[in-house]
Amino acid sequence: MSNKSFTLQAGDKTVELPVLSGSTGPDCVDIGKLYKETGSFTYDPGFMSTASCRSAITYIDGDAGVLQYRGYPIEQLAKHSNFTEVSYLLMNGELPDAGQLAKFEHEVTHHTMMHEAFRTFLYGFRHDAHPMAMLTGMLGSLAAFYHSDLNLDDPEERRLAAIRLLAKVPTIAAACYRYSIGWPIRYPKNNLEYVDRFLHMMFEVPSEPLALKPIAAKALDLLFILHADHEQNASTSTVRLVGSTGANPYACVAAGVAALWGPAHGGANEAVLTMLNEIGRPEDVGSAIARAKDKESGFRLMGFGHRVYKNFDPRAKIIREMCHEVLNELGVNDPLLEVAMRLEEAALKDDYFIQRKLYPNVDFYSGIIYKALNIPTEMFTVMFAIARTAGWVSHWLEQQNDPENKIGRPRQIYTGAVNRDYTPLAKR
Ligand code: SDX
């Protein structure tokens, strides 16, 4: 706790507000007593200047383009780690030793099955329902299977709920995909690693063995690492807000999936592919840039810009490199990659984007890899949700242990009518 403070002059009243410091990053002014001392709220739509909690999970420096999970630079984790190990790190705060990793892998592996009643629930959707709608519903229904005997005061039960979510989301995600294309749902194979197990549930057909190329698992594991967590983003903040009421953790993560679906957030990766397809040719990039700069057009460069990064999103750089590796290894020549690269090149030279510090974000190139792996566009945000489940459950666990955790209940500026008397219908 620092002994620094901000002095606020509120009319004839002077208020000292304590300043809080973390292990790094901007200081925070503690305004908890502001309303009581001044009768005024703060106003910060979109929480542009508001810290909602203390957290030790992920650190971002948006100006420097820095992203660290539990203090480890994302570049090092992308190069040396894997998604299961990163999930352990996010949940527990430290990299596991060999025994801890083996135990964690065994636990996750043995919680991948779904209750058979899930099939009935899943088959109730229209077959062409968006997979994110199905995933939201299916995860919410997990709360129906794990609620009555769930004691959230027991840390071991909280940990088990996190493990179950990490383990079951890929199974459910793959089931949603298989149902949408009319293929039989596959059971998870426990002899496979996390990503291979998921790819098998997605693409294995009864009629022939699945010939998976190693680059597919390598690329997807990398994308899962890069998407695993990102501080207090919209979907993680949603999970925390729902968690602050003491709600069922499966319902909390279902709310996070719903928040992630929006095109301003995780839904952007699907929107980028739609945009690249609409632009179509490298020679049409110029008109797309012009439309993105024209406020009247309502068009934005999807995959560009970020609330926090005012420099390159470090994840975008890593994904762009992986794009080339995947396409080369698979012998795929995707013209959309050329369109994306020309779009990036043009935007980064354009004053409109330079002045607003708009750079490619995590969603700009990821869809090109998913497409090369034969993952359909509507499943792109589902991929994001599988990975971000690691972050969501880690933040939920941290919040449940936070002594400062209290129900989230913001106030407002009221702009409606005041003190009106009821007018009988005959007189309206
Ligand atoms: C993710 O928070 C996270 O960490 C999220 C995420 C994670 O890992 O969880 O990183 C994942 O959600 C990445 C972002 C994916 N979304 C998109 O790619 C959608 C396109 N980008 C934007 O809509 C926008 O950049 C946001 C939503 C990402 C950020 O919006 P902000 O911070 O609220 O900024 P803003 O909308 O106020 O824009 C500031 C200015 C505006 O122009 P002016 O009014 O100042 O003239 O920049 C312009 C905007 O019009 N602008 C864009 C633009 N993004 C912002 N103009 C054209 N194209 C864009 N993409």
Side-chain angles (χ1 to χ4, degrees), residues 6 94 103-104 359 368 376:
F6 274 26
E94 299 296 335
K103 180 174 181 290
F104 184 73
Y359 292 87
I368 291 174

Side-chain angles (χ1 to χ4, degrees), residues 181-210:
I181 57 173
W183 283 8
I185 290 171
R186 307 316 292 164
Y187 288 103
K189 286 191 174 300
N190 288 352
N191 62 321
L192 298 177
E193 298 291 321
Y194 192 92
V195 174
D196 279 315
R197 185 165 60 231
F198 170 67
L199 288 170
H200 177 270
M201 290 188 285
M202 281 283 287
F203 298 119
E204 192 270 345
V205 290
S207 45
E208 57 192 48
L210 180 63

Side-chain angles (χ1 to χ4, degrees), residues 230 264-265 300-301 303-304 306-307 315 352 356 361 388:
H230 213 239
H265 190 14
R300 282 195 166 188
L301 281 194
F304 251 79
H306 199 277
R307 171 62 58 76
R315 303 167 295 177
Y352 173 94
R356 293 167 178 81
N361 60 48
R388 189 52 56 89

Side-chain angles (χ1 to χ4, degrees), residues 235-300:
S235 54
T236 300
S237 296
T238 300
V239 170
R240 279 179 171 263
L241 184 60
V242 179
S244 74
T245 71
N248 178 297
Y250 303 94
C252 293
V253 170
V257 173
L260 184 73
W261 192 7
H265 190 14
N269 57 16
E270 178 180 347
V272 167
L273 248 289
T274 305
M275 173 187 73
L276 293 176
N277 277 310
E278 279 171 6
I279 295 170
R281 304 177 304 167
E283 49 267 42
D284 293 329
V285 156
S287 60
I289 294 285
R291 282 172 58 212
K293 292 158 62 176
D294 171 12
K295 295 279 183 256
E296 299 307 311
S297 74
F299 172 77
R300 282 195 166 188

